[in-house]
Amino acid sequence: MLRRNLLGATILGATAPALFAPAIAQPRNASWPRALNMGTAAPGGTYALYGPAWGQIAQEATGVQISYRTTQGPNQNIILVNRKEIELGMATMGVALQAWNGVGAWTQGNRFRDIRALFPMYDTPFHGIALKRTGITKHADLNGKSVGVGPRGGTPGTYYPQILTELGITPSAVRYGSASDLVGQIQDGLLDAFLFASGVPVPAFSEIEVQAEVNFLDFTQDEIAKLTAKYPELAAGSLPMGTYRTQQKPLGIVGMYNFAIVHKSIPDDLAYEITKSVLSQNDRLKAAIAAASETLAANWTKNTFLPFHPGAARYLREVGQQVPDNLVLA
């Protein structure tokens, strides 16, 4: 069974590709830790590319060595950062809201209150893909079909089953796994559709569209209205022409923003330097991954509840952003 992977073979707990392998680093401040570990996500999604890209920038600026742990996505990143098994991670605001309040089955009623926001990353639009030969052109066609929704601990794995239920859609099977594995199952005829949420263009979607004729699955205006009413953490949006090479129209989506997160114990001046290094080098980050076009200080407003680390808030305020005191917590 052929598997096509933009990042190469990666297993849970493995480090990032050699391209981003950290060199021996020496912290600029002797009081800083010599090394930090960042949680990313499974290959085929944006976190697996975005994380090492911003991590390399931060490492060069601080001299702190940053290594990478492949995780199931935002849910697991939050759990691991809260436990301080890793110090850095990435999460969508919907999952972070569940974590902060201890709601959602995956939290088991626990509130994860030792995580802090560093900087805004990009929006995560929910949308899907299917081979044209299946005849699937919209979400409503997925009744009785088999669908993949990404890793169980990721944002789409958490939200997409709920989205389908809210829209009255009952697939024959819902499968979990990495984006690369699920795209392979699409190509091998083992899945009817792959539903995902990630920075765009989704690497796995871009990969499959150059190898097969596909349909992109978006939402109608009625579906968007229903979903945003049910889940206020979702926002309506549109993916313009050109997001994907073969898309035939702008795609109606719902989405939620991503933020870099950190454990609250990281020194203030280190959190400041990490945030400054990433947000002040947007052109460099965009050159590594297109989703970083939204990694701008002004997008801090996409976070309305998760406290910023004091060091991150200091930089945001220095560049003119009015982060309120009630959204900063040591």
Side-chain angles (χ1 to χ4, degrees):
M1 186 178 296
L2 182 61
R3 289 289 179 268
R4 305 155 183 86
N5 185 354
L6 292 172
L7 300 179
T10 310
I11 59 173
L12 185 64
T15 57
L19 175 64
F20 297 108
I24 300 301
Q26 184 65 39
R28 281 177 39 199
N29 185 324
S31 68
W32 293 348
R34 294 184 59 85
L36 297 173
N37 200 7
M38 181 194 300
T40 57
T46 306
Y47 279 12
L49 298 172
Y50 185 101
W54 76 262
Q56 183 66 30
I57 291 173
Q59 176 175 298
E60 291 175 7
T62 63
V64 175
Q65 182 171 312
I66 297 178
S67 57
Y68 308 95
R69 176 170 173 175
T70 302
T71 69
Q72 294 184 26
N75 307 43
Q76 191 178 20
N77 287 341
I78 287 170
I79 291 169
L80 294 175
V81 170
N82 200 76
R83 292 175 179 169
K84 209 180 175 183
E85 293 183 29
I86 60 176
E87 296 82 14
L88 302 168
M90 296 169 283
T92 48
M93 286 292 95
V95 171
L97 182 61
Q98 291 183 355
W100 193 256
N101 292 329
V103 300
W106 70 275
T107 70
Q108 298 182 338
N110 297 307
R111 297 196 300 178
F112 298 86
R113 293 290 177 97
D114 289 341
I115 60 173
R116 300 291 182 267
L118 273 181
F119 58 83
M121 292 166 47
Y122 54 83
D123 196 19
T124 290
F126 289 77
H127 57 308
I129 197 167
L131 297 183
K132 277 194 175 182
R133 67 173 183 249
T134 65
I136 296 170
T137 62
K138 55 188 181 298
H139 283 85
D141 294 333
L142 296 175
N143 272 308
K145 305 294 185 180
S146 58
V147 302
V149 293
R152 189 178 295 272
T155 299
T158 300
Y159 274 87
Y160 239 127
Q162 299 175 48
I163 286 172
L164 295 177
T165 297
E166 183 65 19
L167 296 179
I169 297 167
T170 306
S172 61
V174 176
R175 297 178 188 165
Y176 300 89
S178 73
S180 294
D181 281 345
L182 296 174
V183 162
Q185 291 183 44
I186 288 278
Q187 292 169 304
D188 295 332
L190 301 176
L191 271 181
D192 294 310
F194 176 31
L195 310 176
F196 204 51
S198 181
V200 292
V202 175
F205 285 12
S206 295
E207 184 180 12
I208 193 174
E209 73 167 336
V210 302
Q211 300 176 23
E213 291 187 335
V214 300
N215 291 324
F216 293 97
L217 313 183
D218 65 347
F219 297 95
T220 67
Q221 290 305 304
D222 286 346
E223 289 172 337
I224 290 172
K226 189 171 187 179
L227 292 173
T228 53
K230 174 70 174 181
Y231 303 105
E233 62 267 39
L234 295 176
S238 177
L239 299 184
M241 289 293 295
T243 303
Y244 295 101
R245 186 178 64 86
T246 60
Q247 76 180 90
Q248 300 298 308
K249 63 174 184 175
L251 303 176
I253 56 91
V254 292
M256 60 178 63
Y257 230 78
N258 295 263
F259 272 71
I261 60 173
V262 64
H263 191 271
K264 68 178 185 180
S265 66
I266 293 297
D268 287 5
D269 53 354
L270 178 54
Y272 169 88
E273 293 295 343
I274 291 173
T275 304
K276 178 180 178 180
S277 69
V278 176
L279 293 181
S280 66
Q281 299 187 67
N282 185 254
D283 286 344
R284 180 180 174 190
L285 194 58
K286 285 191 298 185
I289 182 158
S293 62
E294 297 178 293
T295 305
L296 304 171
N299 284 330
W300 74 267
T301 57
K302 306 296 184 180
N303 170 26
T304 60
F305 69 91
L306 183 62
F308 282 95
H309 192 288
R314 175 187 158 200
Y315 176 74
L316 290 169
R317 287 167 170 170
E318 279 187 4
V319 295
Q321 305 304 315
Q322 304 299 314
V323 182
D325 288 343
N326 65 1
L327 203 58
V328 182
L329 183 64

